Amino acid sequence: MKQITQSQFEAEVANGHSFVMFSGVGCGNCKMQETLLASLMTEFSSVNFIKVNTAESGDLVSQFGVVTLPTMILFKDGEALETLVGLKPKPVLAKRFAEFFV
């Protein structure tokens, strides 16, 4: 999963399918979520998997109303399609990915 800065955000999600996870350095659920995403990253290789550190990206946190970590947003061509909040099991993510990214 590629970690980006706030200034890179628009260019990263502008084209194609993107999965953005807002996380924090000390967030245990974020680390568990990233582990659960590892195999999905292989299965959905056409999706751009992005991580945003909330401590360094306050404007994005405000823009997308991030309150709970992890918060994950599915994008297509720069448009936010769905927001998932909190730790999600792999089958839930796989189902959402299949619906949005195929």
Side-chain angles (χ1 to χ4, degrees), residues 18-54:
S18 298
F19 172 87
V20 178
M21 184 172 89
F22 288 87
S23 66
V25 174
C27 174
N29 282 345
C30 299
K31 289 178 181 151
M32 287 193 305
Q33 191 69 76
E34 203 166 342
T35 301
L36 293 171
L37 286 166
S39 63
L40 292 174
M41 290 170 65
T42 302
E43 187 177 338
F44 293 91
S45 59
S46 64
V47 175
N48 186 16
F49 286 85
I50 300 167
K51 182 166 58 169
V52 174
N53 181 337
T54 55

Short mmCIF file of all heavy atoms in Angstrom, two decimals, residues 18-54:
data_model
loop_
_atom_site.label_atom_id
_atom_site.label_comp_id
_atom_site.label_asym_id
_atom_site.label_seq_id
_atom_site.Cartn_x
_atom_site.Cartn_y
_atom_site.Cartn_z
N SER A 18 -9.49 3.48 -7.06
CA SER A 18 -8.58 3.70 -5.94
C SER A 18 -9.26 3.33 -4.64
O SER A 18 -10.47 3.55 -4.46
CB SER A 18 -8.13 5.16 -5.87
OG SER A 18 -7.42 5.53 -7.02
N PHE A 19 -8.49 2.77 -3.75
CA PHE A 19 -8.92 2.45 -2.39
C PHE A 19 -8.03 3.28 -1.47
O PHE A 19 -6.82 3.14 -1.49
CB PHE A 19 -8.73 0.96 -2.11
CG PHE A 19 -8.97 0.58 -0.68
CD1 PHE A 19 -10.25 0.26 -0.25
CD2 PHE A 19 -7.93 0.53 0.23
CE1 PHE A 19 -10.48 -0.10 1.07
CE2 PHE A 19 -8.15 0.18 1.55
CZ PHE A 19 -9.43 -0.14 1.97
N VAL A 20 -8.65 4.16 -0.70
CA VAL A 20 -7.89 5.04 0.18
C VAL A 20 -8.21 4.69 1.63
O VAL A 20 -9.37 4.66 2.02
CB VAL A 20 -8.23 6.53 -0.08
CG1 VAL A 20 -7.47 7.43 0.88
CG2 VAL A 20 -7.93 6.90 -1.52
N MET A 21 -7.17 4.42 2.40
CA MET A 21 -7.34 4.14 3.82
C MET A 21 -6.70 5.26 4.62
O MET A 21 -5.51 5.52 4.51
CB MET A 21 -6.70 2.80 4.21
CG MET A 21 -6.95 2.44 5.67
SD MET A 21 -6.41 0.79 6.12
CE MET A 21 -4.73 1.12 6.61
N PHE A 22 -7.53 5.93 5.42
CA PHE A 22 -7.04 6.94 6.34
C PHE A 22 -6.64 6.22 7.62
O PHE A 22 -7.45 5.48 8.20
CB PHE A 22 -8.12 7.98 6.64
CG PHE A 22 -8.39 8.89 5.49
CD1 PHE A 22 -9.30 8.56 4.50
CD2 PHE A 22 -7.72 10.10 5.39
CE1 PHE A 22 -9.55 9.42 3.44
CE2 PHE A 22 -7.97 10.97 4.33
CZ PHE A 22 -8.88 10.62 3.35
N SER A 23 -5.40 6.40 8.04
CA SER A 23 -4.90 5.68 9.21
C SER A 23 -4.01 6.58 10.05
O SER A 23 -3.62 7.66 9.63
CB SER A 23 -4.14 4.43 8.78
OG SER A 23 -2.96 4.78 8.08
N GLY A 24 -3.71 6.08 11.24
CA GLY A 24 -2.82 6.78 12.14
C GLY A 24 -1.67 5.89 12.55
O GLY A 24 -1.78 4.67 12.54
N VAL A 25 -0.57 6.50 12.93
CA VAL A 25 0.65 5.76 13.27
C VAL A 25 0.41 4.76 14.40
O VAL A 25 0.83 3.62 14.33
CB VAL A 25 1.79 6.74 13.63
CG1 VAL A 25 3.02 5.99 14.12
CG2 VAL A 25 2.14 7.60 12.44
N GLY A 26 -0.28 5.16 15.45
CA GLY A 26 -0.50 4.27 16.60
C GLY A 26 -1.80 3.51 16.56
O GLY A 26 -2.25 2.98 17.57
N CYS A 27 -2.43 3.43 15.42
CA CYS A 27 -3.75 2.80 15.29
C CYS A 27 -3.62 1.29 15.06
O CYS A 27 -3.25 0.85 13.98
CB CYS A 27 -4.51 3.45 14.13
SG CYS A 27 -6.07 2.67 13.74
N GLY A 28 -3.93 0.51 16.09
CA GLY A 28 -3.85 -0.95 15.99
C GLY A 28 -4.82 -1.52 14.96
O GLY A 28 -4.48 -2.43 14.21
N ASN A 29 -6.05 -0.99 14.92
CA ASN A 29 -7.02 -1.48 13.94
C ASN A 29 -6.57 -1.18 12.51
O ASN A 29 -6.85 -1.94 11.60
CB ASN A 29 -8.40 -0.87 14.20
CG ASN A 29 -9.12 -1.54 15.34
OD1 ASN A 29 -8.76 -2.62 15.78
ND2 ASN A 29 -10.16 -0.89 15.84
N CYS A 30 -5.87 -0.07 12.33
CA CYS A 30 -5.35 0.27 10.99
C CYS A 30 -4.31 -0.77 10.55
O CYS A 30 -4.31 -1.21 9.40
CB CYS A 30 -4.74 1.66 11.00
SG CYS A 30 -5.89 2.97 11.42
N LYS A 31 -3.45 -1.16 11.47
CA LYS A 31 -2.43 -2.16 11.14
C LYS A 31 -3.08 -3.50 10.82
O LYS A 31 -2.68 -4.19 9.88
CB LYS A 31 -1.44 -2.30 12.29
CG LYS A 31 -0.55 -1.08 12.41
CD LYS A 31 0.40 -1.17 13.56
CE LYS A 31 1.22 0.12 13.61
NZ LYS A 31 1.67 0.49 14.89
N MET A 32 -4.10 -3.88 11.60
CA MET A 32 -4.82 -5.13 11.32
C MET A 32 -5.53 -5.05 9.96
O MET A 32 -5.52 -6.02 9.20
CB MET A 32 -5.82 -5.45 12.43
CG MET A 32 -5.16 -5.91 13.71
SD MET A 32 -6.27 -6.65 14.92
CE MET A 32 -7.51 -5.41 15.16
N GLN A 33 -6.12 -3.90 9.67
CA GLN A 33 -6.82 -3.74 8.39
C GLN A 33 -5.85 -3.88 7.23
O GLN A 33 -6.14 -4.52 6.23
CB GLN A 33 -7.51 -2.37 8.32
CG GLN A 33 -8.46 -2.23 7.16
CD GLN A 33 -9.67 -3.12 7.33
OE1 GLN A 33 -10.56 -2.82 8.11
NE2 GLN A 33 -9.71 -4.22 6.61
N GLU A 34 -4.67 -3.29 7.37
CA GLU A 34 -3.67 -3.38 6.31
C GLU A 34 -3.25 -4.83 6.07
O GLU A 34 -3.06 -5.26 4.93
CB GLU A 34 -2.46 -2.51 6.67
CG GLU A 34 -1.66 -2.11 5.49
CD GLU A 34 -0.66 -0.99 5.78
OE1 GLU A 34 -0.78 -0.28 6.79
OE2 GLU A 34 0.27 -0.86 4.96
N THR A 35 -3.14 -5.61 7.13
CA THR A 35 -2.81 -7.03 7.01
C THR A 35 -3.91 -7.77 6.26
O THR A 35 -3.64 -8.59 5.38
CB THR A 35 -2.60 -7.66 8.41
OG1 THR A 35 -1.53 -6.97 9.05
CG2 THR A 35 -2.25 -9.13 8.31
N LEU A 36 -5.17 -7.47 6.59
CA LEU A 36 -6.30 -8.12 5.92
C LEU A 36 -6.37 -7.73 4.44
O LEU A 36 -6.87 -8.49 3.61
CB LEU A 36 -7.61 -7.74 6.61
CG LEU A 36 -7.81 -8.27 8.02
CD1 LEU A 36 -9.05 -7.65 8.65
CD2 LEU A 36 -7.91 -9.79 8.02
N LEU A 37 -5.87 -6.57 4.10
CA LEU A 37 -5.91 -6.09 2.71
C LEU A 37 -4.83 -6.72 1.83
O LEU A 37 -4.94 -6.67 0.61
CB LEU A 37 -5.74 -4.58 2.68
CG LEU A 37 -6.94 -3.77 3.13
CD1 LEU A 37 -6.53 -2.32 3.39
CD2 LEU A 37 -8.03 -3.83 2.08
N ALA A 38 -3.81 -7.30 2.42
CA ALA A 38 -2.66 -7.77 1.65
C ALA A 38 -3.06 -8.70 0.50
O ALA A 38 -2.62 -8.49 -0.64
CB ALA A 38 -1.65 -8.46 2.57
N SER A 39 -3.89 -9.70 0.75
CA SER A 39 -4.25 -10.62 -0.32
C SER A 39 -5.21 -9.97 -1.32
O SER A 39 -5.20 -10.31 -2.50
CB SER A 39 -4.85 -11.91 0.24
OG SER A 39 -6.04 -11.62 0.93
N LEU A 40 -6.04 -9.05 -0.85
CA LEU A 40 -6.94 -8.35 -1.77
C LEU A 40 -6.17 -7.46 -2.72
O LEU A 40 -6.58 -7.25 -3.86
CB LEU A 40 -7.97 -7.53 -0.99
CG LEU A 40 -9.00 -8.33 -0.20
CD1 LEU A 40 -9.86 -7.42 0.64
CD2 LEU A 40 -9.86 -9.18 -1.14
N MET A 41 -5.04 -6.95 -2.26
CA MET A 41 -4.20 -6.12 -3.13
C MET A 41 -3.68 -6.94 -4.31
O MET A 41 -3.56 -6.41 -5.42
CB MET A 41 -3.04 -5.53 -2.33
CG MET A 41 -3.51 -4.47 -1.34
SD MET A 41 -2.24 -3.92 -0.18
CE MET A 41 -1.08 -3.15 -1.28
N THR A 42 -3.43 -8.21 -4.10
CA THR A 42 -2.99 -9.09 -5.18
C THR A 42 -4.15 -9.43 -6.10
O THR A 42 -4.03 -9.39 -7.32
CB THR A 42 -2.38 -10.39 -4.60
OG1 THR A 42 -1.31 -10.03 -3.74
CG2 THR A 42 -1.88 -11.31 -5.69
N GLU A 43 -5.29 -9.76 -5.50
CA GLU A 43 -6.48 -10.15 -6.26
C GLU A 43 -7.02 -9.00 -7.11
O GLU A 43 -7.50 -9.21 -8.22
CB GLU A 43 -7.55 -10.64 -5.28
CG GLU A 43 -8.77 -11.22 -5.93
CD GLU A 43 -9.75 -11.75 -4.91
OE1 GLU A 43 -9.37 -12.05 -3.77
OE2 GLU A 43 -10.94 -11.86 -5.27
N PHE A 44 -6.98 -7.80 -6.59
CA PHE A 44 -7.48 -6.62 -7.30
C PHE A 44 -6.30 -5.73 -7.68
O PHE A 44 -6.20 -4.58 -7.25
CB PHE A 44 -8.49 -5.87 -6.42
CG PHE A 44 -9.76 -6.63 -6.17
CD1 PHE A 44 -9.87 -7.47 -5.06
CD2 PHE A 44 -10.83 -6.55 -7.04
CE1 PHE A 44 -11.02 -8.19 -4.82
CE2 PHE A 44 -11.99 -7.26 -6.81
CZ PHE A 44 -12.09 -8.09 -5.71
N SER A 45 -5.43 -6.26 -8.51
CA SER A 45 -4.17 -5.58 -8.83
C SER A 45 -4.36 -4.30 -9.65
O SER A 45 -3.47 -3.47 -9.70
CB SER A 45 -3.23 -6.54 -9.56
OG SER A 45 -3.84 -7.01 -10.75
N SER A 46 -5.52 -4.13 -10.26
CA SER A 46 -5.76 -2.91 -11.04
C SER A 46 -6.18 -1.73 -10.16
O SER A 46 -6.26 -0.60 -10.63
CB SER A 46 -6.83 -3.15 -12.10
OG SER A 46 -8.07 -3.44 -11.47
N VAL A 47 -6.42 -1.99 -8.88
CA VAL A 47 -6.84 -0.94 -7.95
C VAL A 47 -5.60 -0.28 -7.35
O VAL A 47 -4.64 -0.95 -6.98
CB VAL A 47 -7.73 -1.54 -6.83
CG1 VAL A 47 -8.07 -0.47 -5.79
CG2 VAL A 47 -8.99 -2.15 -7.42
N ASN A 48 -5.64 1.03 -7.25
CA ASN A 48 -4.57 1.80 -6.63
C ASN A 48 -4.84 1.84 -5.12
O ASN A 48 -5.78 2.49 -4.68
CB ASN A 48 -4.56 3.21 -7.23
CG ASN A 48 -3.39 4.04 -6.76
OD1 ASN A 48 -2.42 3.54 -6.21
ND2 ASN A 48 -3.50 5.34 -6.97
N PHE A 49 -4.05 1.13 -4.34
CA PHE A 49 -4.20 1.08 -2.88
C PHE A 49 -3.35 2.17 -2.25
O PHE A 49 -2.13 2.18 -2.41
CB PHE A 49 -3.81 -0.29 -2.34
CG PHE A 49 -4.82 -1.36 -2.62
CD1 PHE A 49 -4.82 -2.05 -3.82
CD2 PHE A 49 -5.80 -1.66 -1.68
CE1 PHE A 49 -5.76 -3.03 -4.09
CE2 PHE A 49 -6.74 -2.64 -1.95
CZ PHE A 49 -6.72 -3.33 -3.15
N ILE A 50 -4.01 3.06 -1.51
CA ILE A 50 -3.36 4.25 -0.97
C ILE A 50 -3.62 4.35 0.53
O ILE A 50 -4.72 4.08 1.00
CB ILE A 50 -3.93 5.52 -1.65
CG1 ILE A 50 -3.68 5.47 -3.16
CG2 ILE A 50 -3.38 6.78 -1.02
CD1 ILE A 50 -4.47 6.50 -3.93
N LYS A 51 -2.59 4.80 1.24
CA LYS A 51 -2.73 5.06 2.68
C LYS A 51 -2.43 6.53 2.92
O LYS A 51 -1.48 7.08 2.39
CB LYS A 51 -1.76 4.18 3.47
CG LYS A 51 -1.87 4.36 4.96
CD LYS A 51 -1.16 3.26 5.76
CE LYS A 51 0.30 3.13 5.46
NZ LYS A 51 1.01 2.26 6.41
N VAL A 52 -3.29 7.16 3.75
CA VAL A 52 -3.13 8.57 4.11
C VAL A 52 -2.97 8.66 5.62
O VAL A 52 -3.82 8.16 6.37
CB VAL A 52 -4.34 9.41 3.65
CG1 VAL A 52 -4.22 10.84 4.15
CG2 VAL A 52 -4.49 9.37 2.13
N ASN A 53 -1.89 9.27 6.06
CA ASN A 53 -1.65 9.48 7.49
C ASN A 53 -2.47 10.69 7.93
O ASN A 53 -2.22 11.81 7.47
CB ASN A 53 -0.16 9.69 7.75
CG ASN A 53 0.18 9.88 9.20
OD1 ASN A 53 -0.66 10.27 10.01
ND2 ASN A 53 1.42 9.60 9.55
N THR A 54 -3.40 10.47 8.84
CA THR A 54 -4.30 11.55 9.23
C THR A 54 -3.57 12.70 9.93
O THR A 54 -3.98 13.85 9.82
CB THR A 54 -5.42 11.03 10.16
OG1 THR A 54 -4.84 10.36 11.27
CG2 THR A 54 -6.33 10.08 9.41
#
